[in-house]
Amino acid sequence: MRNFVLLLVAVLTVAAQNATVQGQQAMDQMWGESVVKLRAENARRGQLFDEGNYAMFIHWGLYSMLGNQVDGKTYYGIGEWIMNPRMAGIPVDEYKQLAKRFNPVDFDAKKIVAIAKDAGMKYIVITAKHHDGFAMYDSDVCDFNIADATPWQRDPMGELADACRDAGLGIGFYYSHNQDWTFPGGGNGPKVDDQGQPATFDDYFVKKCLPQVNEITTKYGPIELVWFDTPGKMPKKYVQQLVELVHKNQPNALVSGRAGHGLGDYQTLGDMEVPQENVPGMWESVDTTNDSWAYAWYDENWKSPKEILKRLVACVGRGGTYMLNIGPKGDGSVPGRAVASLKAAGDWIHRYPQVIYGTDASPWQHALPWGDVTRKDNTLFLCVFRWPDDGRLYVPNLMTSIQSARLLGAESSDSLPFRSEQDWAVIELPPRPVDPLVSVIQLDLESPPEVDPIWAIDPVQGTEVLAEFAEADHAVKEKRRWMEKFGEWKGVVHVHDFDGDGRAIWKLDVHRAGTYQVDLVYSGTGRLVWQVGIDGGERIQNQQNASHNYQAFPIGWLSFPEPGTYSVFARCIDGDVESASLKSIQFDPVELMNDANQE
Ligand code: GLC
């Protein structure tokens, strides 16, 4: 059976935003090009990735023992970079001494696999070697490894691979192929060897990188993927060798999108990035359960079970896979709050596995005001994160006839009452949601779903439409990334650089005529005057303050005289217009004004 092969390469280059240490690229520049890959050449390759849709990422190493504290001083940011000058700047020799006291007596591979299984995850990817160069497995290539250099002397990669296999989970390894901060010649590593002789990247590659990748792809049985990272300026010939080696040793394993030079088997988005619009092909989002990959003593900013589900369903709804990270402590134990949140979200997945596993992207191409959607053939799973107060769920512009609408987990499996209003479906819901986290309505359709993905204003719930979905006219629409703390990435597609009559323009479907409260979400400096208007219709404007953080500011009431498609614009017309950065527009129906017109 000739596997179908489509390969569409589009290169997305993301501009660097962040200050760098002398000679070192900004981290997001180090991630390399982000390339769309439609499907792996051999279909077996990446099956778990494609069908599982949900995995565990584990960052664990010597840095976990420090937990972002050195000599009593706390460093804020991603813990696995603690050695780096951008964090504590620990000298190589001093850092290597840490191995002598690394003794993770509470590490339990079976327990970690059970956490992943309870969480509903299908495979685990763990750091076999991170940028610090320490191998978290028994390597014959370099003695700076957990079996030879620590009092613990075990091989956690082997233990985890066995435990995964016993539990039916896949296993994969993270390997920092370019950066090695402790091996002579490694990326951003020592420039001379122990004898003081100059060391080249080729030395590092031949003596350590290539042989270690050979080890992790031959020592532990079949693996799911090798997760290379931060290729930076690594020459293509080296990446090619590594990809060929992985495919030779592990014909069914995937190579991550961060291999570099577009040579990975799928696309890896930026850190902590969950896309807002469907992304074609095979791709993954990688995310943290708090703000750091590795353990950081202070970091209690955990994602709630609902937040985890929101990002997971969004990922699957956009057509991708979600890999969520844990950072075990130096003793090998996993922070209890991470385990609890993962478990609660996992219980939900075990209640509705059909919503996540083997499902495809939402035909709406983006989230909807009340939640998000995944799809399996002619069935849509409506995941309702915001239960409508008036007991009616508005499903916009679904052209395909509905056979039934069943509330999963409800006592009765009868279809809920539904009717169509123009091209919208309106589903009558019980007053209260049936699930404490997210309620799911299974829509079985007569045929494959046909949807008009135009952004539609919900007649009951507030609707936020991102600038990402606007057209920029005499203004600039682009992606913007920044780090709140070091390595904690945030991003937005914003419209800015409004010149003269510059504006962001959205094409919107208004299902219910009436009056809506309009807010704009933006950042900027000082008081700004914004105008919002309907092409050929009403215009309103208001002056509001601004801050460097994105915030919603009320502009005022806007009326749509009748149902239909409208072109709505927003423009910054006064104040420090140059500083204006528009993230989204929000519509909230003004009670009473609308009902009177409709009923
Ligand atoms: C970035 C960080 C790295 C982390 C990875 C996770 O590349 O440099 O420390 O492991 O993101 O996606």
Side-chain angles (χ1 to χ4, degrees), residues 14-18 27-28 31 78 270-274 276 286-293 299 301 303 307 311 478-494 548-550 583:
V14 178
Q17 298 261 350
N18 308 293
M27 192 196 302
D28 60 337
W31 292 332
I78 49 177
D271 277 3
M272 301 148 184
E273 181 184 349
V274 173
Q276 301 290 340
V286 287
D287 208 358
T288 51
T289 34
N290 54 7
D291 295 337
S292 173
W293 303 101
D299 197 343
N301 187 21
K303 289 181 175 60
E307 179 63 15
R311 294 171 78 81
E478 64 185 343
K479 193 175 210 167
R480 169 177 180 233
R481 261 203 195 109
W482 68 94
M483 297 196 282
E484 289 291 359
K485 293 187 282 297
F486 177 69
E488 184 202 345
W489 288 95
K490 304 286 179 195
V492 67
V493 173
H494 66 147
H548 82 278
N549 281 328
Y550 287 100
K583 176 182 177 190

Side-chain angles (χ1 to χ4, degrees), residues 27 31 57 59 80-81 130-131 174 227 229-230 258 271 286 293:
M27 192 196 302
W31 292 332
F57 209 177
H59 280 68
E80 68 279 9
W81 279 65
H130 205 271
H131 307 330
Y174 172 109
W227 214 89
D229 190 21
T230 63
R258 292 213 191 137
D271 277 3
V286 287
W293 303 101

